[in-house]
Amino acid sequence: MTDAMGDTGPGILRVQADRIRAQIIAILLAWGMLEDLAETTAEVMTETDLIGVDSHGISMLMLYERMRTAGQLQLQARPQVVRENACTALVDGGAGLGHPVGVMGMRLAVEKALAAGIGAVGVFNSHHFGAAGYYARLATERGLLAMITSSARTVVVVPTRGAVPVLGTNPIAFAAPAKRNRPFVLDIATSTVAANKVKVYGLNDKTLPEGWVADEAGRSVTDAAMAMDYLYRRPEGGLTPLGGTAEMGSHKGYGLGLMAQILGATLTGGSFSPLREGRRTRADEPDNVGHFFMAIDPRAFRPPGAFEEDMDAMIDVLHATPPADPERPVLVPGEPEDLARAERLRDGVPIPLTLDGHVREICARSGAAYVLQGE
């Protein structure tokens, strides 16, 4: 579930979604991305900002620019199906950004599930694809369940009992449709927090919560700038697995992270980041991130509508659960994002001035028009 922050206060702009979408498209086109691929990518990124996942929206342009400059991104590549049968497919992402191949992979899994009851699509040779929950929601729009996992480009998570990082944040998303209620949509990193959440805290000059990042001695790092140093510039320390410590169940997050790695990359031919880095001979080699998309038609197991009715009954019980704080009712995964989307469609997406400055600089370097704010 989202933990969007920085919605109010000094140094924050409110920007409408159409301007964010237009700005992302302008930059991607200036970089040479094909128009339809740029529109798909911008749609995924903008929707991600709208649902409050600030770490995976327009703020990702800074990383994408660095990857492009290094020669890792093939922005004109089109994803291609390289292996296929009635229920499964394997897709080559062409070393492009992961959003277009993510949409293609999920839609292909959906079509196979509608025809055969279940569909599974693997992707290799991809890059960062944004928030996994976006793709899960695509399946619920067609009345299907979905599960998505992905490997990650950066080694930042220290395994339980480990001293140095060897895993990425390796997300897992799961979604299921209901009839009266909003769909259940779970989207989590298998680390205590996603690395980009640390970046967002830094952009907003906020102190990190205890337990997100640990130093070389296992001590919590709460200064965002120092935490970024541990994540990206030092060989020791890093993010903790979901659970934080062994006493709090970090072995569960560690195991889930490996599950996401196995499905998203080992199964599909994607890379395991430590091995990739050890074998990398050129800075411009693609990351070969892997993704896994599975869709399930509930009608393959239940009479039409029965699953959705039971989902409604379950969600109704959860909503009726007495809250510990009367001001904070019990919600179901996916609802915080839905609430954030309604608020941000109305009031605009909060953009820190520091991020706005980075976007202006990217526009200047790429030759793209700056349109994030009216001038």
Side-chain angles (χ1 to χ4, degrees):
M1 288 188 284
T2 180
D3 59 354
M5 40 100 35
D7 284 10
T8 60
I12 298 294
L13 306 170
R14 283 282 182 170
V15 182
Q16 292 299 316
D18 59 348
R19 282 191 174 271
I20 292 176
R21 187 180 293 105
Q23 185 64 82
I24 294 171
I25 290 174
I27 290 171
L28 294 176
L29 292 178
W31 286 347
M33 196 173 196
L34 297 174
E35 185 173 359
D36 61 322
L37 301 181
E39 289 176 352
T40 297
T41 302
E43 180 65 19
V44 178
M45 293 172 69
T46 303
E47 281 295 317
T48 301
D49 274 325
L50 278 173
I51 64 173
V53 187
D54 300 316
S55 55
H56 285 47
I58 191 172
S59 67
M60 288 303 303
L61 288 173
M62 295 176 286
L63 171 62
Y64 298 160
E65 183 187 45
R66 292 194 296 272
M67 293 166 64
R68 174 179 176 267
T69 300
Q72 291 182 291
L73 286 178
Q74 302 299 321
L75 291 171
Q76 295 189 336
R78 288 195 179 279
Q80 300 289 331
V81 175
V82 297
R83 183 176 298 173
E84 186 173 17
N85 63 30
C87 293
T88 69
L90 181 66
V91 181
D92 182 350
L97 279 175
H99 311 78
V101 73
V103 171
M104 174 183 174
M106 189 72 258
R107 287 178 174 168
L108 184 55
V110 164
E111 293 304 323
K112 290 182 177 297
L114 289 172
I118 190 167
V121 175
V123 172
F124 70 99
N125 197 18
S126 183
H127 284 288
H128 187 267
F129 75 162
Y134 174 88
Y135 307 102
R137 288 173 183 270
L138 293 180
T140 66
E141 292 171 1
R142 303 290 298 277
L144 305 184
L145 294 81
M147 186 175 77
I148 294 96
T149 75
S150 180
S151 63
R153 69 183 304 270
T154 308
V155 179
V156 288
V157 178
V158 180
T160 301
R161 298 188 179 183
V164 297
V166 295
L167 287 171
T169 54
N170 295 4
I172 297 172
F174 175 81
K179 189 173 183 179
R180 290 182 287 100
N181 290 290
R182 296 184 177 102
F184 173 102
V185 183
L186 177 69
D187 183 0
I188 60 171
T190 51
S191 54
T192 300
V193 69
N196 283 320
K197 294 289 178 65
V198 178
K199 175 189 68 178
V200 172
Y201 269 70
L203 289 171
N204 287 274
D205 194 28
K206 294 179 71 73
T207 300
L208 296 182
E210 293 276 346
W212 282 15
V213 177
D215 67 10
E216 64 276 13
R219 297 170 300 215
S220 184
V221 178
T222 58
D223 178 85
M226 185 179 297
M228 290 292 286
D229 193 47
Y230 275 104
L231 295 186
Y232 295 109
R233 289 176 285 278
R234 300 180 62 156
E236 71 281 354
L239 296 173
T240 57
L242 184 62
T245 65
E247 294 75 15
M248 293 297 291
S250 66
H251 65 284
K252 300 176 184 179
Y254 173 34
L256 288 171
L258 285 173
M259 184 192 81
Q261 176 72 36
I262 292 165
L263 285 174
T266 310
L267 181 65
T268 66
S271 68
F272 181 47
S273 293
L275 295 178
R276 182 197 72 223
E277 291 301 327
R279 298 169 181 168
R280 188 192 292 269
T281 58
R282 304 194 321 268
D284 63 350
E285 288 184 6
D287 289 324
N288 190 18
V289 170
H291 317 304
F292 176 78
F293 304 90
M294 183 170 65
I296 302 172
D297 189 343
R299 292 170 298 182
F301 299 87
R302 304 285 305 278
F307 173 82
E308 293 84 353
E309 289 175 0
D310 282 355
M311 282 292 298
D312 278 331
M314 180 178 68
I315 292 171
D316 289 345
V317 169
L318 293 168
H319 284 164
T321 303
D325 179 352
E327 300 298 319
R328 296 171 61 84
V330 174
L331 299 176
V332 172
E335 290 179 340
E337 291 85 352
D338 291 331
L339 293 170
R341 189 176 189 277
E343 183 266 334
R344 290 181 174 202
L345 279 173
R346 182 186 68 242
D347 299 333
V349 175
I351 301 291
L353 287 175
T354 49
L355 175 56
D356 179 65
H358 287 305
V359 172
R360 289 176 183 268
E361 292 168 1
I362 292 172
C363 289
R365 287 190 291 267
S366 66
Y370 172 82
V371 298
L372 202 57
Q373 294 187 75
E375 295 183 332

